[in-house]
Amino acid sequence: MDSVGTNRSPLRSTAAAAAAAPATRSSALPRPHRHPALGNRLAATKLGIAAWCGGAGGYFGKVQRFDAARNTMARAQSGKAARSVIREMGHTASDSEMPLKYSWGKAFPLGVSQADGGLNFAIFSQDASSVTLCLKLPERGTQNDAEIVEFALDRQKNKTGDIWHVSVEGLPASGVLYGYRINGPQGWQQGHRFDDSVILLDPYAKLVSGRKYFGVDKEEPSQFFGTYDFDSSPFDWGDDYRLPNLPESDLVIYEMNVRAFTADESSGLVPAVRGSYLGLIDKIPHLLELGVNAVELLPVFEFDELEFKRFPNPRDHMVNTWGYSTINFFAPMSRYASAGGGPVAASKELKQMVKALHNAGIEVILDVVYNHTNEADDANPYMTSFRGIDNKVYYMLDLNNNPQLLNFSGCGNTLNCNHPVVKELVLDSLRHWVKEYHIDGFRFDLASVLCRGPDGSPLDAPPLIKEIAKDSVLSRCKIIAEPWDCGGLYLVGRFPNWDRWAEWNGQYRDDIRRFIKGDPGLKGVFATRVSGSADLYQVNNRKPYHSVNFIIAHDGFTLCDLVSYNSKHNDVNGECGRDGCNDNYSWNCGVEGETNDLIVRRLRSRQMKNFHVALMISQGTPMMLMGDEYGHTRYGNNNSYGHDTHINNFQWGQLEERKDGHFRFFSEMIKFRHSHPILKRDRFLSKDT
């Protein structure tokens, strides 16, 4: 890179650089099934998968693989010959083009903001030696063949502390794509992964532009740019609009996937709306008929559903439909917009969806993934943002082992959440979703990761966990921890809580499963779980509703499969059946899998009802899984993260077939719970109750 500190943008030929790069690809690690009882066995599963990667070992092998991967990224970014051009400060190559004028800018806020007649760009990088802003101007070419205007920031004028910033006048108020090239120390052994051949996504981008349609052909480049929209009027929430503000003790949570809810043809929606935010709106009457009053949405942050298709591998037939591969923590998933509408439409339609759910009295809880990102591990590096901006700040590293990324997430990297900069990123992200999208709460994926320090050691009073609990903007929100991680930090009943954090009660799940399938000696344990798990939560000022009771979640068997399979059947995942949990506490009622035996089918139906009754009469906050109300099956697959098919998609035809039986029973039990205050009391039941 040319030296900074000048008023000229360095000449860079993106297309030429890409053409010289070798045709190598890199892959993210899979997301293995997580079960609190597994502990370090998950790491063993991950290592088994990583064995496919091959390649040279040791320090130099890692560096060579990293170099190959970043060259691959440069090739992907070149796309269809996007070209860079020189821009002089305050001048353009054509008199007909709007001039761009640059000034020093300001350090805050991070991201893009309107200021002094221009747009201010600000990004943090503690260890960078140079930063170049890249602007893709669609009006000067088509979406796929637009100029990329680049200019280097002057470290004397465009840098305050560790924040690089610049103000640009003359830019449109919407439609511009932007990113950064960042360079710095090249020492792998110091933990750096800088590479200025790659255009990086701004961590504070409020909108992200990438592919238009979910799961498009795998040859489509996976290039993601930040973008913005200062043209649109503020969203109209309506004069009569009110937040539901439901007491935690009243919640009945329905865990669901936005896309999978209406993606199937049986939804009856037109193709352009299936699998979208608008599609979910159309099905709100179903949620009301069922009786749930909160939806917990699998990740809706921008993620890369094609991560398995970066290079030939046993999983390249799959599409990441669950969404646990976060690219950016502020932008809604753009490919959940209807008709390929893009990031601006996605933002508006998500707000429409939240508004419609709130008007129906249903709260919206987001499943958020702050424990890792899409950028994989050091064996198979993939660079889109954080790795190239400041690897040592954003990720936990093993400084004694050629600083490799620590992996407490099972997905190759672990976000350094209690570093002051990363902590503030997470808090800013949460506040953004509450203020901009009116979100009611958050379920934190692998939340025990958020309880670790920069070296991975557990913290007694994690700063991030405390600040989330004490933050004024988040004070009205439900905050729910998945209180374990893939490094064996199991905190069910012991999660640092400041009397606010609720927890997914994995102990409840396991004990209820074992009792109802007939394991001996569990009467007392069953009674403890049904009466609120006081052994876990009757501490300090914690309440029964801090136990989120569930028997089924997205990760594992569906309710139908829990009573239909003794063993997992995950061969279609391409991992030779090694993925997914082996300890399911399931019983097939005498026959493995599908059967026409009426006696077995009746027994299975009765068992599913037994599970649902137990869930609805238990003190605590009940959560059920989308599709269990009609008996959805994944045919024994207990780790279906990669199937954008009927395996995950809600089957509306089956719902109609079972409306008068299975569904009606489930709905009546939920309504029974709503009508009995004793089940929703905010104090634990006593033996005399």
Side-chain angles (χ1 to χ4, degrees), residues 535-562:
D535 59 328
L536 299 174
Y537 298 105
Q538 196 169 12
V539 180
N540 300 327
N541 197 34
R542 303 197 83 182
K543 304 296 184 183
Y545 54 70
H546 286 129
S547 171
V548 176
N549 299 330
F550 69 104
I551 298 162
I552 303 296
H554 70 277
D555 207 353
F557 279 149
T558 66
L559 187 58
C560 177
D561 290 354
L562 185 67

Side-chain angles (χ1 to χ4, degrees), residues 518-593:
D519 285 0
L522 291 171
K523 290 181 181 177
V525 172
F526 177 76
T528 298
R529 297 291 160 250
V530 169
S531 59
S533 296
D535 59 328
L536 299 174
Y537 298 105
Q538 196 169 12
V539 180
N540 300 327
N541 197 34
R542 303 197 83 182
K543 304 296 184 183
Y545 54 70
H546 286 129
S547 171
V548 176
N549 299 330
F550 69 104
I551 298 162
I552 303 296
H554 70 277
D555 207 353
F557 279 149
T558 66
L559 187 58
C560 177
D561 290 354
L562 185 67
V563 301
S564 303
Y565 294 90
N566 285 347
S567 304
K568 64 185 181 183
H569 295 266
N570 293 359
D571 289 343
V572 294
N573 294 357
E575 301 177 29
C576 304
R578 293 176 295 184
D579 67 303
C581 182
N582 295 316
D583 303 319
N584 297 291
Y585 304 118
S586 61
W587 177 45
N588 64 16
C589 297
V591 177
E592 186 75 357

Side-chain angles (χ1 to χ4, degrees), residues 18 83 127 172 184 223 240 273-274 290 339 377 382 391 426 444 456 462 471 491 511 543 546 563 608 650 663 670:
R83 58 190 185 278
D127 294 309
Q223 172 63 44
D240 298 329
V273 177
R274 292 176 199 158
L290 180 60
D377 62 0
Y382 189 65
N391 190 64
V426 173
F444 292 79
D471 188 84
L491 297 174
D511 290 343
K543 304 296 184 183
H546 286 129
V563 301
M608 284 190 279
F650 196 100
F663 172 82
I670 293 172

Side-chain angles (χ1 to χ4, degrees), residues 461-503:
L464 176 60
I465 298 299
K466 179 180 180 180
E467 292 201 31
I468 291 173
K470 301 295 185 181
D471 188 84
S472 60
V473 174
L474 306 178
S475 61
R476 73 168 181 83
C477 293
K478 283 74 177 177
I479 48 176
I480 304 168
E482 183 184 32
W484 51 81
D485 65 19
C486 293
L489 188 55
Y490 184 67
L491 297 174
V492 172
R494 299 183 296 111
F495 192 84
N497 56 80
W498 285 273
D499 296 327
R500 277 211 59 206
W501 282 83
E503 302 174 16

Side-chain angles (χ1 to χ4, degrees), residues 20-40:
T24 312
R25 296 190 180 184
S26 62
S27 169
L29 287 176
R31 175 184 179 82
H33 172 84
R34 299 188 307 270
H35 190 289
L38 285 176
N40 288 324

